Amino acid sequence: MKHALLGLIAETSIHAGANKAVGVIDLPIMREAHSDWPCIFGSAVKGALRAKAEQENHAWIADVFGPSDTTHAGAVAVGDARLLLMPVRSLSTHFKWVTCPALIQRAIQDAKRLNMEGVDVDFPKLENEQALTFNMKDNLFLEEFYFKAEKYDLDKLIQWLGQFVGGDFEERLKNQLVIVSDDVFSSIARYSTPVTPHIAIDNTNKTVKDGHLWYEETLSPETVLYVTLAAHPSRKDNTQFSAEQILAAVLSLFPDNKPYLQLGGNETVGMGWCRVKQVEKVGV
């Protein structure tokens, strides 16, 4: 079995829907049942990967993802897109990428499961009004929450997180990374996602159609997630596709000049675009 880790950064809003709900939000996003953290289930990610492969008309689709007649299973296992950093509006400065010790520790364990090194990070016990930053020591407002920002040695962590996006991301994190307590992050993750009203217009009289007002939740642009991949040899009879070849086929969907994947719904209005980066080495 061969593994890979993909970092995803949203370049547009993403609506990976969890069907209809009975609450105020008609079309909520996918969330983990036990934590209520936003995510994109592995089945949705795998479907998006297959759709991209079909658009590019690759010959190996049945070997990698399985045939339409279900005579054999696919050879790649796709994990959920798990949250790593959440962009949150700041009332006192530029938006911040917010995370918490529980998210970071889970990402480290996921990397270790793929035989990649993690990072040695030791967070202090955080009170609800505390926030750790790389270089900020001042009052900080995130949405309606007030924090006392404290400088903390986050250099190794920032180097580690920078590998999930690449480019100048590491430098941006030095100014924008904020770590809050697990309890506070739970509230931020639950209530800081955008909720947008939508209507349908009756073209004959240019008014709203009766009953056609709904509210849709999305993940914001700049959200950072990651996906784990596990490749097996092809399960198709009389083929010689190794696990290495299966994994290489999936990764070939993201060349350096076009490393994009569209996830979730509302494709026709430009939503769901992510930039994808293979994490070559997770460890500092």
Side-chain angles (χ1 to χ4, degrees):
M1 186 184 299
K2 295 295 180 180
H3 299 93
L5 185 62
L6 301 180
L8 311 175
I9 182 167
E11 296 200 342
T12 65
S13 298
I14 301 174
H15 175 71
N19 211 332
K20 293 185 178 180
V22 295
V24 175
I25 302 173
D26 301 287
L27 298 175
I29 59 173
M30 297 175 182
R31 291 178 179 271
E32 298 177 3
H34 67 293
S35 66
D36 214 27
W37 294 338
C39 69
I40 303 174
F41 298 145
S43 56
V45 180
K46 188 174 183 179
L49 292 172
R50 180 171 190 136
K52 183 175 175 66
E54 289 175 345
Q55 289 170 4
E56 298 176 0
N57 199 28
H58 289 288
W60 41 256
I61 293 173
D63 292 277
V64 174
F65 298 108
S68 57
D69 59 11
T70 66
T71 53
H72 63 85
V76 63
V78 182
D80 295 344
R82 289 180 155 183
L83 184 63
L84 186 59
L85 301 172
M86 190 169 183
V88 178
R89 179 183 59 166
S90 173
L91 302 180
S92 50
T93 181
H94 192 33
F95 83 89
K96 300 297 185 182
W97 273 298
V98 182
T99 188
C100 66
L103 273 181
I104 296 299
Q105 293 298 342
R106 184 174 70 171
I108 292 170
Q109 291 305 313
D110 284 339
K112 289 180 178 179
R113 191 177 71 251
L114 304 186
N115 296 318
M116 296 180 175
E117 295 179 8
V119 62
D120 185 15
V121 57
D122 183 24
F123 296 111
K125 178 175 174 56
L126 293 173
E127 301 297 333
N128 287 347
E129 69 277 6
Q130 285 181 286
L132 304 182
T133 67
F134 179 78
N135 58 12
M136 181 180 179
K137 189 176 182 180
D138 202 351
N139 296 331
L140 174 65
F141 291 89
L142 299 174
E143 295 290 352
E144 73 274 19
F145 295 97
Y146 164 77
F147 299 94
K148 183 63 177 180
E150 302 176 14
K151 290 184 180 180
Y152 195 73
D153 184 8
L154 299 175
D155 191 59
K156 287 186 177 181
L157 178 62
I158 286 174
Q159 291 179 49
W160 189 77
L161 293 172
Q163 299 175 71
F164 286 81
V165 177
D168 66 345
F169 191 60
E170 187 177 320
E171 288 302 312
R172 295 177 68 187
L173 285 176
K174 291 180 179 179
N175 294 318
Q176 292 175 253
L177 178 63
V178 176
I179 298 171
V180 299
S181 72
D182 297 339
D183 291 342
V184 169
F185 185 83
S186 179
S187 295
I188 289 174
R190 185 176 296 115
Y191 299 116
S192 297
T193 49
V195 177
T196 307
H198 292 267
I199 59 173
I201 298 293
D202 186 338
N203 287 325
T204 59
N205 55 22
K206 302 302 180 183
T207 60
V208 179
K209 292 181 179 179
D210 289 340
H212 284 71
L213 168 65
W214 70 95
Y215 290 86
E216 180 180 82
E217 186 180 23
T218 58
L219 284 174
S220 298
E222 311 289 349
T223 301
V224 179
L225 309 105
Y226 65 93
V227 174
T228 59
L229 301 177
H232 302 262
S234 175
R235 295 181 169 95
K236 185 178 179 181
D237 292 339
N238 303 316
T239 59
Q240 301 296 322
F241 275 103
S242 65
E244 291 88 345
Q245 290 171 313
I246 293 293
L247 185 59
V250 178
L251 297 178
S252 72
L253 294 171
F254 307 107
D256 291 341
N257 64 337
K258 197 177 180 181
Y260 300 106
L261 180 68
Q262 198 168 17
L263 291 167
N266 298 341
E267 293 181 358
T268 58
V269 291
M271 292 176 63
W273 284 108
C274 296
R275 187 169 74 251
V276 181
K277 179 183 180 296
Q278 182 186 1
V279 182
E280 302 284 355
K281 177 187 177 184
V282 183
V284 293

